[in-house]
Amino acid sequence: MQQIRIEPVTKTKFRIYLDGEFAFVLYKSELARYGIKDGGEISDEMAAKIKEETVLKRARVKALKLLGDMDRTRAELKDRLMRSDFTEEIAELALAYADSFGYLNDERYVENYVQSRKETKSRREICAELSRKKVDREIVERVLEDCYGADDSCTAILKLLKKRHYDAEQMDQKEKQKICAWLARKGFRYGEIRKAMELPDWED
């Protein structure tokens, strides 16, 4: 048997702690249905039943809804589920459920991410953004190798130069160096920057 402690979140929503550890969230009607009372006790079998019948079902629905709103990485989805008061165990089970339908695919996510940003961002900048999203580095490097080439860097630099109204003939050396430094901070290599800035008719 496990000791129950109930912590109100709202008038109808409650966090349930079993033997001092957070277990799951239940709503008022569910407390009555399962006979959950503050200070009472619950068997391991009943706790497992609640997780399976109610909590996991809710987590699965939440996971699919989040993926329906927008594509997410495994790490992002897990983080969102845990911030929605699901334990790591339940979050992992919900991820597995979404995975079984093919809805969760970090490689596909990275491919879409790179394709949609490679014309305005450097390879290094994209890599850093995906790293912050906790995508496996091997996946990122493999996709970048396949989807991001030298021509993409050049295209991205030219678009950024156009955005900054770059004019090779009108700008002095100091202004060019300033733009060059700005592009370098965005992760482009000096050789790529120099080549793009010296290309004739870049605005076309």
Side-chain angles (χ1 to χ4, degrees):
M1 300 295 285
Q2 299 181 70
Q3 191 73 26
I4 300 169
R5 178 167 69 84
I6 299 176
E7 179 184 277
V9 179
T10 65
K11 288 183 178 180
T12 58
K13 182 179 177 181
F14 304 85
R15 288 192 185 94
I16 310 302
Y17 293 81
L18 302 180
D19 286 344
E21 289 190 14
F22 172 66
F24 39 73
V25 163
L26 292 177
Y27 289 86
K28 193 171 184 179
S29 61
E30 294 164 346
L31 294 181
R33 187 198 313 165
Y34 291 115
I36 304 294
K37 295 181 180 179
D38 192 32
E41 291 185 330
I42 186 173
S43 67
D44 294 344
E45 292 76 17
M46 179 56 76
K49 181 180 179 181
I50 293 171
K51 286 181 182 180
E52 180 68 29
E53 290 184 354
T54 299
V55 182
L56 180 55
K57 183 179 178 181
R58 187 177 293 138
R60 286 171 172 172
V61 170
K62 179 73 172 179
L64 296 185
K65 183 179 183 303
L66 288 168
L67 289 171
D69 292 340
M70 61 181 286
D71 208 8
R72 300 174 192 272
T73 66
R74 294 184 68 86
E76 285 178 323
L77 183 57
K78 182 178 178 179
D79 181 62
R80 283 297 301 269
L81 289 171
M82 291 183 69
R83 284 195 281 125
S84 297
D85 273 334
F86 294 106
T87 63
E88 184 171 7
E89 175 194 8
I90 293 296
E92 286 287 356
L93 290 171
L95 290 178
Y97 179 74
D99 217 2
S100 71
F101 292 101
Y103 296 152
L104 203 53
N105 187 318
D106 276 6
E107 188 150 352
R108 183 184 63 218
Y109 178 93
V110 173
E111 285 177 5
N112 292 337
Y113 195 93
V114 172
Q115 293 291 356
S116 65
R117 289 162 176 78
K118 67 180 183 179
E119 290 190 357
T120 55
K121 293 180 181 288
S122 70
R123 182 185 179 117
R124 194 174 78 186
E125 193 172 15
I126 291 173
C127 187
E129 289 174 355
L130 289 168
S131 178
R132 286 194 290 273
K133 291 175 176 290
K134 300 178 182 177
V135 182
D136 185 275
R137 190 170 184 83
E138 278 189 25
I139 294 175
V140 174
E141 289 178 352
R142 183 169 64 249
V143 174
L144 282 172
E145 191 64 34
D146 292 340
C147 301
Y148 195 107
D151 289 344
D152 295 312
S153 285
C154 183
T155 299
I157 292 170
L158 294 179
K159 284 198 172 188
L160 290 167
L161 287 173
K162 191 170 185 178
K163 191 175 180 180
R164 290 289 291 259
H165 307 292
Y166 173 72
D167 187 328
E169 295 183 359
Q170 297 297 321
M171 289 184 173
D172 59 28
Q173 193 62 24
K174 188 174 181 181
E175 288 175 308
K176 289 179 181 178
Q177 287 175 348
K178 195 172 180 181
I179 289 177
C180 184
W182 172 66
L183 289 168
R185 287 195 298 273
K186 292 183 76 62
F188 295 102
R189 296 173 183 169
Y190 179 68
E192 296 171 336
I193 297 169
R194 184 176 178 184
K195 181 181 177 183
M197 291 178 75
E198 290 178 352
L199 282 174
D201 301 326
W202 65 270
E203 63 271 24
D204 296 331

